[in-house]
Amino acid sequence: MPILGILASSITGGLVTDAGAMFPIRSYVVPSGGAASIEWTSIPSTYTHLQIRATLKSSTSSYIALQFNGVFSGSAYDGHGIDGNGSSVTAYAYNSRDNIPTFSDGISTTQYSGLVLDILDYANTNKNKTARWLAGFDNNGSGNIYFESGLWRSTSAITSIKLFSGGSGTFSQYSSFALYGVLA
């Protein structure tokens, strides 16, 4: 069942899937004791884009790392972003990393954070892969917001996605993650 519904078609009286419709692929809620990483494998290539939606908290205030297809290379990923905390804004860029960092200034350890991450043209084997995301948290008047993007310098179709703490932390109990397929 599509998340955003369907569009009734007047052609032969059938129904046509609405462009932009989102279909749930898999979800996960972190159990008691936490989780060191979240990984989706065997991702079907039947969609145009992917989206991850998460509500998460970590045991340490470190960044959250993103990797594709198990590639852990010191030069495979690049990116840039801006973040703000209510009183200042920071812009940054990085290149030749072994992961794409999200929540560059650190995820909250006391409040659940929100994350919406798009992976564009994930199955297209004619171009490198890009991701963009909006994330943030409010900590009773303080907090951060992040608008970032990353690049995986590979034309391989993405078949697995891994999220893990960039430090020694774990995802806290009740953190939830959902992977969706998006049709164009």
Side-chain angles (χ1 to χ4, degrees), residues 11-65:
I11 302 171
T12 67
L15 296 176
V16 176
T17 305
D18 186 14
M22 296 174 59
F23 296 85
I25 297 174
R26 288 184 209 110
S27 61
Y28 180 76
V29 177
V30 175
S32 174
S37 65
I38 307 299
E39 188 167 10
W40 293 278
T41 60
S42 303
I43 297 171
S45 62
T46 53
Y47 304 101
T48 308
H49 311 296
L50 297 174
Q51 186 174 87
I52 296 171
R53 292 181 176 223
T55 304
L56 61 153
K57 185 167 63 170
S58 179
S59 63
T60 62
S61 182
S62 63
Y63 70 91
I64 303 301

Side-chain angles (χ1 to χ4, degrees), residues 44-118:
S45 62
T46 53
Y47 304 101
T48 308
H49 311 296
L50 297 174
Q51 186 174 87
I52 296 171
R53 292 181 176 223
T55 304
L56 61 153
K57 185 167 63 170
S58 179
S59 63
T60 62
S61 182
S62 63
Y63 70 91
I64 303 301
L66 173 67
Q67 290 178 329
F68 301 121
N69 294 2
V71 173
F72 188 78
S73 167
S75 60
Y77 304 96
D78 300 320
H80 64 280
I82 59 173
D83 64 59
N85 62 15
S87 62
S88 65
V89 175
T90 304
Y92 46 87
Y94 54 87
N95 57 29
S96 299
R97 291 185 54 113
D98 59 9
N99 63 62
I100 298 172
T102 67
F103 292 94
S104 58
D105 279 342
I107 188 171
S108 177
T109 59
T110 58
Q111 305 294 328
Y112 282 90
S113 301
L115 169 69
V116 177
L117 188 149
D118 296 310

Side-chain angles (χ1 to χ4, degrees), residues 143-175:
N144 284 62
I145 188 165
Y146 306 92
F147 184 63
E148 302 168 308
S149 65
L151 168 73
W152 179 36
R153 281 183 271 110
S154 174
T155 58
S156 297
I158 293 174
T159 58
S160 70
I161 301 168
K162 182 176 183 179
L163 288 170
F164 59 96
S165 176
S168 59
T170 59
F171 295 115
S172 300
Q173 182 179 12
Y174 306 122
S175 293

